[in-house]
Amino acid sequence: MSKQRQLDNLRADILAKNICPDLAAQATQLVMGDGNLNAEIVFIGEAPGKKEDEQGVPFVGASGKFLNEMLATAGLERADVYITNIVKYRPPKNRDPSKDEKQTFWPYLLRQLEIINPKVVITLGRHSMGYFLPGAVIGNIHGQPVDVTIDDDATYCLIPLYHPAAALYNGSLRQTLADDFMRVPEIIKKLA
Ligand code: URA
């Protein structure tokens, strides 16, 4: 079955199981993911914001524009990568996704990763990082690749990065994020 078909089935499954009904009730739509289904890199953010909720595409608002800039510093375009979020409905008033919401969506994120089958998973911010690396502190480990094995099953090379929204208006974090992005192609080359 094609990857697109498998992702469509995953989407249908989330809708049929009425995952996070309270979030679903107030969101415009489910925001599954965007980009190249054969990408070597999958980026995982937190949850859709207002623009993402309206358009059904992750990272299209201010953080998304900044993410595009960061991708360019690594010589990448959005069409080269796949982008998604741990929680796939917009939380009301852009609040942080709750532990329950993240936990409920986690198995679906893992299935999404299995379908795309990237070489590298890049978490953006602490919400998605925390599920791959419980207890990790982003300030200590950002930009450093680490192999993670999930449920004794799939192993991914994970690179935890700061969330673009955190770096957008903070000069020093912005530089840190740009430096980390610039190192991504080198990390991938070493894996090949
Ligand atoms: N922030 C996220 O974490 N995800 C989006 O899709 C947009 C902003």
Side-chain angles (χ1 to χ4, degrees):
M1 201 189 299
S2 73
K3 289 187 178 186
Q4 186 59 61
R5 196 72 196 280
Q6 292 180 65
L7 288 171
D8 290 346
N9 287 347
L10 184 61
R11 178 190 193 94
D13 200 21
I14 294 173
L15 294 172
K17 296 221 171 82
N18 199 14
I19 294 304
C20 293
D22 293 345
L23 275 191
Q26 53 79 54
T28 306
Q29 56 191 317
L30 185 67
V31 181
M32 280 295 284
D34 180 44
N36 186 335
L37 305 191
N38 295 311
E40 291 188 327
I41 311 174
V42 169
F43 287 88
I44 308 171
E46 296 173 5
K50 188 168 186 292
K51 286 256 160 51
E52 290 78 17
D53 177 63
E54 284 165 7
Q55 295 182 33
V57 180
F59 283 98
V60 287
S63 310
K65 290 207 180 85
F66 185 48
L67 176 60
N68 294 349
E69 267 181 51
M70 290 292 110
L71 285 170
T73 66
L76 293 165
E77 292 180 14
R78 277 182 81 115
D80 298 323
V81 302
Y82 187 81
I83 302 175
T84 187
N85 287 302
I86 180 161
V87 168
K88 291 172 175 33
Y89 288 118
R90 180 194 183 201
K93 299 187 182 138
N94 286 355
R95 65 154 168 77
D96 282 351
S98 71
K99 187 162 181 261
D100 245 28
E101 290 158 356
K102 288 184 276 186
Q103 207 158 316
T104 307
F105 269 108
W106 172 244
Y108 295 93
L109 175 66
L110 293 182
R111 278 168 62 188
Q112 201 174 14
L113 286 178
E114 267 174 43
I115 295 168
I116 307 286
N117 193 23
K119 272 195 186 156
V120 171
V121 171
I122 298 184
T123 52
L124 298 170
R126 67 195 160 86
H127 289 283
S128 51
M129 177 189 75
Y131 269 78
F132 291 94
L133 299 170
V137 176
I138 184 92
N140 298 338
I141 60 162
H142 66 89
Q144 298 167 34
V146 54
D147 282 344
V148 290
T149 300
I150 295 158
D151 300 336
D152 292 330
D153 185 14
T155 298
Y156 297 103
C157 170
L158 184 91
I159 309 176
L161 296 185
Y162 282 103
H163 195 286
L168 188 51
Y169 303 111
N170 176 325
S172 75
L173 262 198
R174 200 183 166 103
Q175 192 55 52
T176 303
L177 187 61
D179 291 345
D180 286 348
F181 259 92
M182 276 185 259
R183 264 186 252 113
V184 167
E186 194 183 298
I187 293 169
I188 293 182
K189 220 195 248 166
K190 280 197 192 136
L191 293 175

